[in-house]
């Protein structure tokens, strides 16, 4: 694995991190995905292998470009696409954990869609947390109030970049 610093944009990206307040079984989730490594035995395994390999590397490279450019709209679209890829690959491996109805309710919420460019689950997926890329500071403030007051979930605001 390689890591490199990312130059942050001058205009901050406005993120909202949402704690979904649900239980999940992270060891079971990781075990179900690890079934495909180092070698995959079937189509499901090959799908996970490709998704966590080449597909993920391509998507991360695109996201890095969006972050460097301060392009919140593209970053949000990439996160939404990444979540769809995750669902396509991970749900068949462990439906009880990866189907994540609360996560998908938040990501598909019409009010949040008006305020955010897109989003995805965090970490190994499931019902843990979501990250949303908001359209502006004001949109993020409204989204945070909505998440707390209407959905009853804890959330926090994060700025990436800016000064």
């Amino acid at each position: 694995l390689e890591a490199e610093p990312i130059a942050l944009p001058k205009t901050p990206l406005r993120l909202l991190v949402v704690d979904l307040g649900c239980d999940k079984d992270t060891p079971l989730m990781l075990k179900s995905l690890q079934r495909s490594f180092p070698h995959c035995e079937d189509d499901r395994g090959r799908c996970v292998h490709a998704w966590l390999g080449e597909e993920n590397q391509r998507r991360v490279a695109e996201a890095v470009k969006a972050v460097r450019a301060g392009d919140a709209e593209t970053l949000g679209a990439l996160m939404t696409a990444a979540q769809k890829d995750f669902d396509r690959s991970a749900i068949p491996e462990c439906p009880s954990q990866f189907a994540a109805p609360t996560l998908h309710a938040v990501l598909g919420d019409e009010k949040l869609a008006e305020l955010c460019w897109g989003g995805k689950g965090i970490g190994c997926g499931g019902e843990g947390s979501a990250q949303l890329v908001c359209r502006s500071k004001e949109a993020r403030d409204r989204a945070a109030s909505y998440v707390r007051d209407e959905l009853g979930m804890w959330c926090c605001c994060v700025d990436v970049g800016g000064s």
Side-chain angles (χ1 to χ4, degrees):
L1 292 175
E2 295 179 23
E4 63 182 72
I6 298 174
L8 297 177
K10 293 182 181 181
T11 302
L13 299 165
R14 308 293 185 170
L15 305 181
L16 184 66
V17 177
V18 180
D19 181 344
L20 301 172
C22 298
D23 292 329
K24 68 178 190 171
D25 187 343
T26 301
L28 175 62
M29 296 161 83
L30 293 174
K31 183 179 179 184
S32 69
L33 295 174
Q34 289 171 346
R35 180 186 78 79
S36 302
F37 291 90
H39 305 288
C40 35
E41 304 291 325
D42 56 20
D43 287 342
R44 278 188 4 208
R46 282 185 281 282
C47 184
V48 169
H49 212 262
W51 159 63
L52 286 174
E54 294 172 11
E55 291 176 29
N56 191 51
Q57 288 176 338
R58 179 182 47 78
R59 182 94 57 216
V60 168
E62 292 171 0
V64 166
K65 287 179 188 174
V67 168
R68 285 182 175 145
D71 186 348
E73 185 174 0
T74 297
L75 183 61
L78 288 167
M79 284 188 180
T80 298
Q83 183 64 50
K84 288 180 181 173
D85 290 346
F86 180 95
D87 294 344
R88 174 183 47 82
S89 301
I91 290 174
E93 290 298 320
C94 190
S96 68
Q97 295 298 309
F98 292 129
T102 306
L103 171 65
H104 289 93
V106 168
L107 295 177
D109 187 283
E110 290 181 16
K111 178 70 172 172
L112 291 174
E114 295 172 9
L115 302 169
C116 302
W117 292 116
K120 63 183 286 302
I122 296 176
C124 71
E127 296 281 69
S129 300
Q131 56 188 334
L132 305 170
V133 180
C134 300
R135 295 174 185 257
S136 66
K137 182 181 184 316
E138 295 76 21
R140 185 183 63 194
D141 292 344
R142 289 176 39 216
S145 293
Y146 175 75
V147 165
R148 282 190 303 268
D149 300 340
E150 301 298 322
L151 301 181
M153 297 176 183
W154 180 88
C155 60
C156 71
C157 299
V158 177
D159 287 342
V160 176
S163 51

